[in-house]
């Protein structure tokens, strides 16, 4: 039987995954980062990620790295591959291609702990992060661009919220992702015209008039890949 092999001119390439994981904290869009414990870029902040194991699916590799390096065990509300980064020289260890993933973590995901080869993990403002290792600033910038694009056609903002929410809370998610304020009246009019939301029949008490709670309409699809 003929043995299959790569041609001699084929480049030896390492395969990795990096995860840009987002959540809303205190009305701000934040990204989950880890502090590297090994060279290269020891003690620098980076996106969670690492090398793909032999025979491992890319999706599973992304979830494994997220669990190992940040202690996040909940399945993300949304996880997708969004770009491949493979420029020569992006990693001083050799030719490493990274398949970048975008994740939206469940509402209330706050506590994280560094694990694996990291020194720690923490939440940082997504639009104003610290200096990042490798080309992770470029990965984060493209992930933010992906979030902005998917606000309208995939309604990704809903994945940042609990099952019931107020319209101001949903507007804050949009504003946090876009990094700019939106007109309240126009936002409400446009959103309700889409037929994506229905009143839940409940109200949330607080200062002033109790706020109407909404939920995703039946048949309205979650953000698709």
């Amino acid at each position: 039987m003929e043995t299959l092999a790569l041609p001699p001119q084929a480049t030896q390439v390492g395969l990795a995954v990096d995860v840009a994981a987002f959540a809303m904290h205190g009305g701000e869009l934040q990204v989950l980062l880890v502090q590297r414990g090994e060279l290269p870029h020891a003690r620098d902040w980076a996106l969670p990620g690492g090398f793909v194991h032999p025979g491992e699916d890319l999706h599973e590799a992304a979830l494994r790295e997220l669990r190992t390096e940040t202690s996040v065990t909940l399945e993300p509300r949304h996880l997708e591959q969004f770009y491949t980064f493979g420029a020569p020289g992006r990693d001083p260890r050799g030719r490493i291609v990274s398949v970048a993933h975008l994740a939206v973590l469940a509402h209330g995901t706050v506590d994280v702990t560094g694990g694996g080869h990291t020194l720690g993990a923490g939440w940082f403002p997504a639009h104003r992060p610290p200096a990042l290792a490798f080309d992770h600033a470029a990965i984060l910038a493209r992930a933010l661009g992906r979030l902005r694009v998917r606000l309208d056609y995939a309604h990704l903002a809903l994945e940042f919220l609990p099952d019931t929410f107020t319209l101001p809370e949903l507007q804050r998610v949009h504003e946090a992702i876009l990094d700019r304020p939106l007109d309240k009246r126009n936002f409400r009019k446009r959103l309700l015209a889409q037929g994506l939301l229905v009143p839940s029949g409940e109200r949330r008490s607080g200062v002033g008039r109790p706020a109407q709670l909404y939920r995703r309409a039946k048949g309205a699809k979650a953000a698709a890949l």
Side-chain angles (χ1 to χ4, degrees):
M1 180 180 295
E2 183 180 359
T3 301
L4 299 178
L6 292 172
Q9 67 270 25
T11 304
Q12 296 298 315
V13 177
L15 182 61
V17 292
D18 288 301
V19 184
F22 299 97
M24 289 290 295
H25 292 149
E28 181 180 50
L29 180 68
Q30 298 202 336
V31 63
L32 182 55
L33 301 177
V34 297
Q35 189 175 32
R36 290 179 55 80
E38 295 182 335
L39 293 173
H41 296 287
R43 307 193 70 84
D44 288 347
W45 290 96
L47 298 171
F51 291 101
V52 179
H53 293 173
E56 186 177 35
D57 178 80
L58 292 174
H59 181 93
E60 291 303 319
L63 291 176
R64 173 180 54 77
E65 288 293 339
L66 200 57
R67 288 192 301 265
T68 301
E69 294 191 346
T70 71
S71 74
V72 171
T73 57
L74 294 176
E75 185 80 11
R77 295 285 298 270
H78 179 79
L79 179 67
E80 65 167 290
Q81 297 176 27
F82 71 92
Y83 202 74
T84 301
F85 292 81
R90 65 175 298 273
D91 191 315
R93 293 169 293 186
R95 186 69 188 274
I96 310 298
V97 172
S98 177
V99 180
H101 288 66
L102 184 155
V104 176
L105 300 185
H107 177 76
T109 303
V110 177
D111 295 331
V112 293
T113 303
H117 299 296
T118 70
L119 299 177
W123 292 101
F124 292 85
H127 294 287
R128 286 163 285 279
L132 299 179
F134 304 108
D135 57 353
H136 288 193
I139 296 177
L140 175 57
R142 188 169 284 271
L144 288 169
R146 180 71 170 169
L147 277 180
R148 288 190 289 269
V149 168
R150 292 177 69 75
L151 272 180
D152 288 327
Y153 83 84
H155 310 296
L156 194 58
L158 295 178
E159 306 304 332
F160 286 89
L161 295 167
D163 292 337
T164 58
F165 47 86
T166 66
L167 290 182
E169 287 171 340
L170 182 56
Q171 181 172 338
R172 281 197 291 272
V173 175
H174 279 254
E175 291 175 335
I177 292 173
L178 296 171
D179 199 26
R180 60 179 175 86
L182 297 173
D183 179 78
K184 179 180 178 180
R185 181 177 297 179
N186 288 338
F187 176 82
R188 181 187 181 96
K189 180 180 179 181
R190 179 175 62 86
L191 197 70
L192 294 180
Q194 294 174 350
L196 183 70
L197 307 178
V198 295
S200 69
E202 302 174 337
R203 291 183 178 272
R204 180 179 299 158
S205 300
V207 178
R209 183 179 178 182
Q212 172 70 61
L213 292 176
Y214 289 82
R215 58 175 173 80
R216 191 194 304 267
K218 289 184 179 181
K221 295 182 179 179
L225 296 179

